[in-house]
Amino acid sequence: MKQLRVRVLAGLFAVAGVLSWAGARLWDSVDTLPRVPLAAPIVLALIAVVLLATAISLRARLRAQRERRPGAKGVEPLMAARAVVFGQASALVAALVCGMYGGVGVFMLEFLDIPARRDQAYYAGFSVLAGIGVIAAAFFLERVCRLPEDSDDEHGGTAPAA
């Protein structure tokens, strides 16, 4: 399984941001603009909390397993792999959503004197912050679930054969 790359996430963010900014300008030229839902930052924050809770739980279980504590409940490899895949997918979607709401938010900065658009700019900004939280939690989860022999491998490839 390959690791998340910051460059890929930044590229997705930038492309989605430019496209959504251009789309917002186009929609505004015909006097309509899609709204940024209030639920967007809330849902992204909930996903970040779930990822963080999963990472903390897995870290505690792995530590107990490594220290061979009596009654320690181990972590099944398939469960850890599923958690990492969930984290990676969440980070990729969060990068796209952050870019989309970031582009709309940048467009809304021109209209901060209009209360409705100011609220939309706030929602977009909070969505970007919550999306960054999702990405950070996904990186933490990926780090928690990394196998000990993968720690020397920076590029996510296989170890050379001896």
Side-chain angles (χ1 to χ4, degrees):
M1 184 178 306
K2 292 187 177 185
Q3 293 180 332
L4 281 173
R5 302 271 186 225
V6 175
R7 288 185 302 238
V8 171
L9 297 174
L12 286 172
F13 174 82
V15 169
V18 168
L19 289 176
S20 68
W21 175 80
R25 288 184 55 90
L26 178 66
W27 268 315
D28 189 56
S29 69
V30 293
D31 292 330
T32 62
L33 188 64
R35 298 181 54 89
V36 177
L38 175 61
I42 295 169
V43 170
L44 286 169
L46 285 174
I47 292 170
V49 167
V50 167
L51 286 172
L52 187 61
T54 302
I56 290 170
S57 172
L58 286 175
R59 183 178 66 171
R61 288 173 62 186
L62 288 169
R63 182 176 293 147
Q65 185 178 5
R66 199 173 36 248
E67 294 172 357
R68 300 181 194 265
R69 293 184 192 154
K73 186 176 179 184
V75 177
E76 293 180 30
L78 188 57
M79 185 182 79
R82 286 179 180 159
V84 170
V85 168
F86 172 62
Q88 289 180 346
S90 298
L92 291 169
V93 170
L96 285 171
V97 169
C98 281
M100 185 181 74
Y101 288 133
V104 171
V106 167
F107 175 75
M108 295 285 188
L109 290 177
E110 300 173 19
F111 306 103
L112 289 180
D113 54 335
I114 303 169
R117 296 235 174 150
R118 182 176 47 240
D119 291 344
Q120 295 296 304
Y122 289 149
Y123 298 158
F126 290 140
S127 295
V128 171
L129 291 176
I132 291 170
V134 170
I135 293 169
F139 274 113
F140 180 60
L141 178 61
E142 188 177 62
R143 181 180 170 104
V144 165
C145 292
R146 180 181 292 163
L147 294 174
E149 57 267 11
D150 287 347
S151 62
D152 294 337
D153 187 14
E154 297 279 311
H155 303 291
T158 58

